[in-house]
Amino acid sequence: MKIITSLPNVLIFSTLLAMNCQTKMAYAENKPIITLSYGTPYLACGVKCEPSFIIKIFEDGLVQYKGVKNVEVLGRDEHRIDKSTLEKLINKFHKAHFLDATGPADPAWIPINATDRTASICAGIRFRQGTQEMTTFMRQCELVNEIIRTTDAERLWDLEWIRMRYCR
């Protein structure tokens, strides 16, 4: 008789557990797996304000662009890249041992000197694979160039100047 009365409790617990797992999976799918943040997009700046934009790449190939200031294309735009192209980009991150990298990492994406409103150009890259995630401000020119090439950002959003100015 005790088994019959505890059955509803087991069903409720199992349902709640399953809902929690689905929510976490849905949340992970909504987070970008690669983000390139260039400039200091959310800081006030003076006359010499540097270009700022953000490119986010999602697991399904969705690419979101946001031109924040001093770029040819301002505002939001998006397009898709195919799975094989995305897999090649992810392999570049693995070959660079990005998740194993040691050095300055800041999950808040704000450089240390940003609070004095004189922060110079800063490029940050965030890469997420499963539960592992790394954000770095180290000079990762090869990866910056690969993100821009893979997302076709040079043609779509006129970002070809990145290689000349930041990553030669």
mmCIF file of all heavy atoms in Angstrom, residues 2 5 15 28 69 71 75 84-85 89 93 99 106 112 116 123 126 137 158 161:
data_model
loop_
_atom_site.group_PDB
_atom_site.id
_atom_site.type_symbol
_atom_site.label_atom_id
_atom_site.label_comp_id
_atom_site.label_asym_id
_atom_site.label_seq_id
_atom_site.Cartn_x
_atom_site.Cartn_y
_atom_site.Cartn_z
ATOM 1 N N LYS A 2 2.000 1.200 0.664
ATOM 2 C CA LYS A 2 2.894 2.349 0.736
ATOM 3 C C LYS A 2 3.453 2.703 -0.638
ATOM 4 O O LYS A 2 3.681 3.860 -0.944
ATOM 5 C CB LYS A 2 4.028 2.048 1.712
ATOM 6 C CG LYS A 2 4.596 3.255 2.327
ATOM 7 C CD LYS A 2 5.513 2.877 3.451
ATOM 8 C CE LYS A 2 5.587 4.068 4.359
ATOM 9 N NZ LYS A 2 6.329 3.933 5.493
ATOM 10 N N THR A 5 0.908 4.881 -2.612
ATOM 11 C CA THR A 5 0.796 6.274 -2.170
ATOM 12 C C THR A 5 2.035 7.086 -2.515
ATOM 13 O O THR A 5 1.954 8.299 -2.666
ATOM 14 C CB THR A 5 0.543 6.349 -0.647
ATOM 15 O OG1 THR A 5 1.611 5.689 0.028
ATOM 16 C CG2 THR A 5 -0.793 5.761 -0.284
ATOM 17 N N THR A 15 8.896 14.353 -13.155
ATOM 18 C CA THR A 15 8.462 15.384 -14.099
ATOM 19 C C THR A 15 9.233 16.678 -13.878
ATOM 20 O O THR A 15 9.708 17.310 -14.834
ATOM 21 C CB THR A 15 6.941 15.638 -13.949
ATOM 22 O OG1 THR A 15 6.254 14.402 -14.133
ATOM 23 C CG2 THR A 15 6.459 16.664 -14.954
ATOM 24 N N ALA A 28 21.119 26.572 -22.885
ATOM 25 C CA ALA A 28 22.432 26.390 -23.514
ATOM 26 C C ALA A 28 22.338 26.603 -25.020
ATOM 27 O O ALA A 28 23.253 27.161 -25.623
ATOM 28 C CB ALA A 28 22.979 25.008 -23.208
ATOM 29 N N LYS A 69 29.220 51.338 -32.679
ATOM 30 C CA LYS A 69 29.622 52.716 -33.004
ATOM 31 C C LYS A 69 30.858 52.721 -33.891
ATOM 32 O O LYS A 69 31.676 51.813 -33.857
ATOM 33 C CB LYS A 69 29.843 53.548 -31.746
ATOM 34 C CG LYS A 69 30.888 53.008 -30.793
ATOM 35 C CD LYS A 69 30.894 53.802 -29.503
ATOM 36 C CE LYS A 69 31.748 53.084 -28.481
ATOM 37 N NZ LYS A 69 31.540 53.531 -27.139
ATOM 38 N N VAL A 71 31.380 52.139 -37.016
ATOM 39 C CA VAL A 71 31.546 51.091 -38.022
ATOM 40 C C VAL A 71 30.643 51.435 -39.204
ATOM 41 O O VAL A 71 29.701 52.209 -39.067
ATOM 42 C CB VAL A 71 31.206 49.685 -37.468
ATOM 43 C CG1 VAL A 71 32.262 49.207 -36.492
ATOM 44 C CG2 VAL A 71 29.844 49.650 -36.817
ATOM 45 N N GLY A 75 23.834 48.905 -36.016
ATOM 46 C CA GLY A 75 22.607 48.166 -35.741
ATOM 47 C C GLY A 75 22.796 46.665 -35.825
ATOM 48 O O GLY A 75 23.912 46.155 -35.843
ATOM 49 N N SER A 84 29.102 22.545 -41.597
ATOM 50 C CA SER A 84 30.496 22.164 -41.871
ATOM 51 C C SER A 84 31.427 23.363 -41.719
ATOM 52 O O SER A 84 32.543 23.225 -41.214
ATOM 53 C CB SER A 84 30.635 21.534 -43.255
ATOM 54 O OG SER A 84 30.340 22.468 -44.269
ATOM 55 N N THR A 85 30.977 24.537 -42.104
ATOM 56 C CA THR A 85 31.782 25.749 -41.940
ATOM 57 C C THR A 85 31.969 26.049 -40.454
ATOM 58 O O THR A 85 33.073 26.387 -40.017
ATOM 59 C CB THR A 85 31.096 26.939 -42.645
ATOM 60 O OG1 THR A 85 30.929 26.610 -44.025
ATOM 61 C CG2 THR A 85 31.906 28.205 -42.522
ATOM 62 N N LEU A 89 35.472 26.117 -38.016
ATOM 63 C CA LEU A 89 35.838 27.199 -37.104
ATOM 64 C C LEU A 89 36.058 26.666 -35.695
ATOM 65 O O LEU A 89 37.040 27.025 -35.033
ATOM 66 C CB LEU A 89 34.755 28.281 -37.111
ATOM 67 C CG LEU A 89 34.997 29.480 -36.194
ATOM 68 C CD1 LEU A 89 36.291 30.206 -36.554
ATOM 69 C CD2 LEU A 89 33.816 30.437 -36.256
ATOM 70 N N PHE A 93 39.531 26.591 -32.967
ATOM 71 C CA PHE A 93 39.611 26.886 -31.532
ATOM 72 C C PHE A 93 40.269 25.719 -30.792
ATOM 73 O O PHE A 93 41.062 25.933 -29.876
ATOM 74 C CB PHE A 93 38.218 27.165 -30.949
ATOM 75 C CG PHE A 93 37.780 28.584 -31.132
ATOM 76 C CD1 PHE A 93 37.219 29.002 -32.327
ATOM 77 C CD2 PHE A 93 37.929 29.512 -30.114
ATOM 78 C CE1 PHE A 93 36.816 30.305 -32.512
ATOM 79 C CE2 PHE A 93 37.532 30.819 -30.280
ATOM 80 C CZ PHE A 93 36.969 31.219 -31.486
ATOM 81 N N LEU A 99 40.461 26.592 -24.958
ATOM 82 C CA LEU A 99 39.898 26.305 -23.638
ATOM 83 C C LEU A 99 40.968 25.953 -22.614
ATOM 84 O O LEU A 99 40.723 26.021 -21.412
ATOM 85 C CB LEU A 99 38.875 25.168 -23.729
ATOM 86 C CG LEU A 99 37.585 25.531 -24.465
ATOM 87 C CD1 LEU A 99 36.716 24.295 -24.650
ATOM 88 C CD2 LEU A 99 36.822 26.615 -23.736
ATOM 89 N N ASP A 106 38.262 37.171 -18.390
ATOM 90 C CA ASP A 106 37.328 37.979 -17.641
ATOM 91 C C ASP A 106 35.922 37.686 -18.126
ATOM 92 O O ASP A 106 35.549 38.120 -19.213
ATOM 93 C CB ASP A 106 37.655 39.462 -17.836
ATOM 94 C CG ASP A 106 36.762 40.360 -17.015
ATOM 95 O OD1 ASP A 106 35.834 39.852 -16.353
ATOM 96 O OD2 ASP A 106 36.986 41.571 -17.031
ATOM 97 N N ILE A 112 40.152 45.826 -17.514
ATOM 98 C CA ILE A 112 40.381 46.382 -16.190
ATOM 99 C C ILE A 112 40.389 47.915 -16.191
ATOM 100 O O ILE A 112 39.860 48.539 -15.304
ATOM 101 C CB ILE A 112 41.712 45.842 -15.609
ATOM 102 C CG1 ILE A 112 41.548 44.354 -15.347
ATOM 103 C CG2 ILE A 112 42.101 46.560 -14.332
ATOM 104 C CD1 ILE A 112 42.823 43.627 -15.053
ATOM 105 N N ASP A 116 37.955 53.964 -16.234
ATOM 106 C CA ASP A 116 38.440 55.336 -16.303
ATOM 107 C C ASP A 116 38.035 56.036 -17.600
ATOM 108 O O ASP A 116 38.433 57.147 -17.860
ATOM 109 C CB ASP A 116 39.962 55.399 -16.111
ATOM 110 C CG ASP A 116 40.727 54.763 -17.249
ATOM 111 O OD1 ASP A 116 40.106 54.392 -18.265
ATOM 112 O OD2 ASP A 116 41.962 54.653 -17.137
ATOM 113 N N ALA A 123 39.820 43.649 -28.011
ATOM 114 C CA ALA A 123 39.070 42.587 -28.667
ATOM 115 C C ALA A 123 38.992 41.417 -27.704
ATOM 116 O O ALA A 123 40.003 40.962 -27.189
ATOM 117 C CB ALA A 123 39.744 42.158 -29.964
ATOM 118 N N ARG A 126 35.052 34.933 -26.721
ATOM 119 C CA ARG A 126 34.493 33.950 -25.798
ATOM 120 C C ARG A 126 34.165 32.701 -26.614
ATOM 121 O O ARG A 126 33.583 32.789 -27.689
ATOM 122 C CB ARG A 126 33.236 34.480 -25.134
ATOM 123 C CG ARG A 126 32.581 33.436 -24.218
ATOM 124 C CD ARG A 126 31.390 33.993 -23.497
ATOM 125 N NE ARG A 126 31.875 34.868 -22.436
ATOM 126 C CZ ARG A 126 31.126 35.741 -21.792
ATOM 127 N NH1 ARG A 126 29.866 35.893 -22.109
ATOM 128 N NH2 ARG A 126 31.628 36.485 -20.830
ATOM 129 N N PHE A 137 41.155 38.241 -23.539
ATOM 130 C CA PHE A 137 41.473 39.490 -24.212
ATOM 131 C C PHE A 137 42.872 39.431 -24.799
ATOM 132 O O PHE A 137 43.388 40.418 -25.271
ATOM 133 C CB PHE A 137 41.376 40.669 -23.238
ATOM 134 C CG PHE A 137 39.988 40.873 -22.742
ATOM 135 C CD1 PHE A 137 39.611 40.436 -21.485
ATOM 136 C CD2 PHE A 137 39.035 41.469 -23.539
ATOM 137 C CE1 PHE A 137 38.327 40.609 -21.033
ATOM 138 C CE2 PHE A 137 37.741 41.641 -23.098
ATOM 139 C CZ PHE A 137 37.390 41.209 -21.842
ATOM 140 N N ASP A 158 31.378 45.183 -43.805
ATOM 141 C CA ASP A 158 32.560 46.004 -44.105
ATOM 142 C C ASP A 158 33.598 45.993 -42.983
ATOM 143 O O ASP A 158 34.085 47.031 -42.549
ATOM 144 C CB ASP A 158 32.151 47.451 -44.406
ATOM 145 C CG ASP A 158 31.361 47.562 -45.683
ATOM 146 O OD1 ASP A 158 31.671 46.808 -46.627
ATOM 147 O OD2 ASP A 158 30.435 48.388 -45.749
ATOM 148 N N TRP A 161 38.837 45.962 -42.506
ATOM 149 C CA TRP A 161 39.891 46.768 -41.899
ATOM 150 C C TRP A 161 40.465 46.139 -40.635
ATOM 151 O O TRP A 161 41.526 46.531 -40.179
ATOM 152 C CB TRP A 161 39.370 48.170 -41.577
ATOM 153 C CG TRP A 161 38.092 48.160 -40.796
ATOM 154 C CD1 TRP A 161 36.828 48.194 -41.299
ATOM 155 C CD2 TRP A 161 37.952 48.066 -39.382
ATOM 156 N NE1 TRP A 161 35.905 48.135 -40.287
ATOM 157 C CE2 TRP A 161 36.564 48.066 -39.092
ATOM 158 C CE3 TRP A 161 38.854 47.989 -38.329
ATOM 159 C CZ2 TRP A 161 36.076 47.979 -37.801
ATOM 160 C CZ3 TRP A 161 38.357 47.916 -37.039
ATOM 161 C CH2 TRP A 161 36.987 47.908 -36.791
#
